[in-house]
Amino acid sequence: MHLEQLEYIVEVAKTGSLTKASQNKHVTLSAISQALSSLEAELGVSLFTRSRLGAVPTPEGRILIKKAVEVLQKLQELREEAQYFTNTISGELRIATIPGPMNLLVNAIAGFKKDYPQIRFEIAEKGTQEILEDIRQEKLDIGLIILYGDLVPKNAELIFEPVLPVKMVAGVAKDSPLAFQDTVSPEELRRHPFALYEDEYVQWFVEDFSATYGPVDILFTTNNTAAIRNAVRENLAVTLGIDYSFIEEPYLPNQDILTLDLDIPKQSVYLSWVRSEERHFSQISRNFANRLQYDLKKRMDSLLP
């Protein structure tokens, strides 16, 4: 039994095809087929049922392939642990985040690179559904999203790990009638037009808010934060956003825009990591996730009165 054989059967199970497995592993179809036949002969069981439609694991194969995945994950952990001892840890970490936390993410990356200079980062800003699909297709290692609603039941094959509890807040002009209070009720909020950032969670929240408290007047939706900022400053609209998204905004120190808590029942909403259940969660990814969680919590705590 060789490690390559384990890698090949896992790839065949993942793709459902010997041809696709050979392409992904950059070996010939014959090499995949021979490795599979040799391993089946050694183990004395058939791992796959093969047909023109592809390769499907047998009941026995599903059990043994799961064990093969565990073996390969342990081997990767061994290699990573050895790199730490020799201080030569290297590799690539592909991350995507929803709009908003990018500045926080970049700060964490800068600190992480000081400790692990040989790690190469690839970061992108995308929508939630695009992040989830890229993780399924193994184009990303981890994604940073807002965990809300029924995302988890709909994506049972993915693992979600809450990083930081967050909440929706309202942003209003400093001379708005609402600026003299700490919280705003749904009835008060609905009297004002909304200028909203184009974001899946914001859209979901507003739809849920409208269904519960009545329709709202949306002045416009955009991904141009300057346009939203100007509309709120001029008292033409109010805006809604996650509390952390206001941290880095340059207008806050001048108190041009104030944030108010929403007087609605609290919801369990988190900034969350998401990753594949099948893909090995590398030590690099785990360490960076822990670093970012620590940095975010520290930063949010520093802003509390």
Side-chain angles (χ1 to χ4, degrees), residues 164-217:
L164 188 74
V166 296
K167 62 182 178 181
M168 188 70 81
V169 296
V172 303
K174 65 179 181 181
D175 56 351
S176 165
L178 299 175
F180 299 97
Q181 53 198 67
D182 296 324
T183 62
V184 57
S185 69
E187 293 75 19
E188 292 173 309
L189 205 55
R190 288 181 59 242
R191 298 190 193 115
H192 301 266
F194 286 15
L196 300 174
Y197 190 80
E198 192 172 336
D199 173 81
E200 291 169 63
Y201 173 61
V202 172
Q203 179 183 350
W204 178 88
F205 181 90
V206 171
E207 290 175 354
D208 184 69
F209 182 94
S210 299
T212 304
Y213 302 106
V216 298
D217 177 16

Side-chain angles (χ1 to χ4, degrees), residues 51-215:
S51 70
R52 289 181 299 175
L53 299 178
V56 179
T58 63
E60 299 83 1
R62 281 197 295 269
I63 296 173
L64 295 175
I65 291 166
K66 183 175 182 295
K67 292 293 184 182
V69 171
E70 294 172 356
V71 169
L72 293 173
Q73 287 179 345
K74 288 297 182 183
L75 177 62
Q76 183 61 29
E77 290 174 9
L78 185 150
R79 288 169 176 161
E80 292 170 355
E81 197 69 26
Q83 286 183 321
Y84 275 100
F85 286 132
T86 59
N87 199 30
T88 60
I89 185 168
S90 61
E92 180 184 60
L93 185 55
R94 302 167 301 170
I95 308 172
T97 177
I98 55 171
M102 179 60 81
N103 285 341
L104 303 174
L105 189 62
V106 168
N107 290 338
I109 288 174
F112 197 78
K113 282 282 287 184
K114 291 181 180 179
D115 295 334
Y116 306 106
Q118 297 184 63
I119 301 297
R120 188 171 74 85
F121 282 90
E122 180 182 312
I123 58 175
E125 192 173 71
K126 302 184 177 186
T128 298
Q129 294 305 318
E130 189 177 2
I131 290 174
L132 298 181
E133 187 58 30
D134 281 354
I135 289 176
R136 289 191 189 95
Q137 296 182 13
E138 297 189 2
K139 295 179 181 178
L140 292 173
D141 297 307
I142 48 179
L144 194 59
I145 66 169
I146 296 296
L147 186 60
Y148 65 92
D150 57 355
L151 274 182
V152 174
K154 284 184 176 179
N155 300 277
E157 75 279 15
L158 303 177
I159 295 176
F160 297 84
E161 299 181 4
V163 175
L164 188 74
V166 296
K167 62 182 178 181
M168 188 70 81
V169 296
V172 303
K174 65 179 181 181
D175 56 351
S176 165
L178 299 175
F180 299 97
Q181 53 198 67
D182 296 324
T183 62
V184 57
S185 69
E187 293 75 19
E188 292 173 309
L189 205 55
R190 288 181 59 242
R191 298 190 193 115
H192 301 266
F194 286 15
L196 300 174
Y197 190 80
E198 192 172 336
D199 173 81
E200 291 169 63
Y201 173 61
V202 172
Q203 179 183 350
W204 178 88
F205 181 90
V206 171
E207 290 175 354
D208 184 69
F209 182 94
S210 299
T212 304
Y213 302 106

Side-chain angles (χ1 to χ4, degrees), residues 28-47:
T28 64
L29 176 60
S30 175
I32 292 285
S33 181
Q34 289 178 12
L36 175 55
S37 298
S38 175
L39 185 58
E40 287 179 326
E42 180 179 349
L43 296 175
V45 296
S46 294
L47 298 173

Side-chain angles (χ1 to χ4, degrees), residues 182-281:
D182 296 324
T183 62
V184 57
S185 69
E187 293 75 19
E188 292 173 309
L189 205 55
R190 288 181 59 242
R191 298 190 193 115
H192 301 266
F194 286 15
L196 300 174
Y197 190 80
E198 192 172 336
D199 173 81
E200 291 169 63
Y201 173 61
V202 172
Q203 179 183 350
W204 178 88
F205 181 90
V206 171
E207 290 175 354
D208 184 69
F209 182 94
S210 299
T212 304
Y213 302 106
V216 298
D217 177 16
I218 299 178
L219 183 63
F220 62 79
T221 300
T222 180
N223 60 4
N224 188 319
T225 56
I228 296 173
R229 192 158 59 236
N230 290 336
V232 176
R233 273 179 179 156
E234 297 298 323
N235 219 357
L236 300 175
V238 298
T239 191
L240 294 171
I242 294 295
D243 51 0
Y244 67 74
S245 66
F246 291 91
I247 294 174
E248 301 294 331
E249 292 293 347
Y251 52 78
L252 283 182
N254 299 323
Q255 296 296 298
D256 287 342
I257 295 179
L258 305 176
T259 58
L260 308 177
D261 285 338
L262 304 182
D263 188 14
I264 60 176
K266 290 185 177 180
Q267 298 176 323
S268 297
V269 180
Y270 295 88
L271 186 64
S272 172
W273 286 121
V274 57
R275 60 185 177 88
S276 171
E277 184 177 35
E278 296 181 358
R279 184 178 174 85
H280 170 61
F281 192 40

